[in-house]
Amino acid sequence: MKLTVALACLPVAAAFVAPAPAGASVKVQETKADLEALAVKLNPVVGFYDPLGLADADFWGRGNEYTIGWLRHAEIKHGRVAMAGFVGYCLHANGVQFPIHIPGDYSTKSPAELWDQVPEAGKWQIVLFVGFLEFFSESGAGGAHYTKGGKPGAFPSFNSPEAGDQFKIPHPVPLDLWDPVGFTKNASPEKKERGRLIEINNGRLAMIGIMGFIAASTVPGSVPYFTEDLTQYSGSVWAPF
């Protein structure tokens, strides 16, 4: 968790959704058949691969479609965290730093050790900021929840939330978190669909990649063909602080 928070620091913290209250209706958005069709689009060679049978699961007794929505959203969010973490790891491991950052001594090239060097007040700023964004994403500002017919992976707008102006941030926010400069504003539906497929595939690769970095930097020789230039870390990458 330490490495993920330190390198990603984005509003894509681990996806957690509390069970819906009893009696809540679930709008069917995606079924196992939809996942099978999506898998072919993502990778026609591998196709649908679900060794754990999660596509048939029923979390919290809320139904299979509810569970599929939860898992789809979780995968997209974890993929985004991993992509940010992977790029951040590469940058920090090569000594690249942003000119503006939380004050502190960041001389190390070990991304995990870098988190250790962040002052505790700075760590709390990061955690609370990510927590606020997570709260806003689950507040209903984006309209239908992803477990009840909403779009998995969608993050609501700060300035024009889909659910109405009652969810607008009272303080002026110049840019939205998702697509702040409007790259996808005028994109065709076909281009948007292709972009979503690319994001999922890249996210899956990044999750494997960042875990490979963590393993290689803490357990020498654990990742085959990995160079020995990676700075080793002797602490616990799972310790939050």
Side-chain angles (χ1 to χ4, degrees):
M1 297 305 136
K2 171 188 298 185
L3 191 58
T4 299
V5 174
L7 301 180
C9 302
L10 292 175
V12 285
F16 172 78
V17 183
S25 61
V26 177
K27 298 178 181 179
V28 177
Q29 182 186 6
E30 290 183 314
T31 63
K32 182 177 180 179
D34 295 317
L35 295 182
E36 292 172 345
L38 177 64
V40 174
K41 293 180 181 179
L42 289 168
N43 192 324
V45 176
V46 176
F48 183 70
Y49 182 69
D50 182 24
L52 298 180
L54 293 177
D56 297 311
D58 180 4
F59 292 176
W60 307 297
R62 300 308 305 158
N64 181 241
E65 291 80 13
Y66 180 103
T67 302
I68 288 175
W70 190 91
L71 291 171
R72 286 269 286 119
H73 191 76
E75 179 187 33
I76 293 171
K77 293 177 73 175
H78 282 84
R80 290 171 179 170
V81 170
M83 286 188 281
F86 186 88
V87 173
Y89 199 109
C90 292
L91 290 174
H92 289 303
N94 286 279
V96 179
Q97 294 188 19
F98 291 106
I100 301 176
H101 51 69
I102 296 172
D105 176 21
Y106 307 119
S107 57
T108 179
K109 286 190 177 182
S110 166
E113 188 176 346
L114 182 74
W115 177 250
D116 293 337
Q117 295 179 349
V118 175
E120 186 170 342
K123 293 177 181 178
W124 278 112
Q125 289 179 45
I126 295 170
V127 171
L128 292 175
F129 176 67
V130 172
F132 162 74
L133 293 173
E134 183 73 4
F135 170 80
F136 184 72
S137 71
E138 297 288 340
S139 67
H145 197 266
Y146 48 83
T147 60
K148 303 175 183 178
K151 182 186 297 183
F155 191 89
S157 167
F158 293 130
N159 300 304
S160 55
E162 185 177 337
D165 289 346
Q166 67 270 27
F167 289 97
K168 288 181 65 174
I169 301 295
H171 189 281
V173 180
L175 300 172
D176 280 322
L177 183 69
W178 165 249
D179 194 14
V181 295
F183 282 129
T184 63
K185 184 177 181 181
N186 298 317
S188 65
E190 294 77 15
K191 185 176 181 180
K192 289 181 179 179
E193 181 183 5
R194 182 174 181 274
R196 285 191 286 268
L197 297 177
I198 292 173
E199 179 185 37
I200 294 173
N201 276 332
N202 288 343
R204 290 175 177 177
L205 285 173
M207 284 188 275
I208 296 173
I210 190 63
M211 291 307 297
F213 276 148
I214 293 174
S217 64
T218 54
V219 184
S222 60
V223 181
Y225 309 112
F226 217 102
T227 66
E228 298 179 357
D229 297 332
L230 196 66
T231 303
Q232 296 298 298
Y233 178 64
S234 59
S236 172
V237 294
W238 307 115
F241 284 80

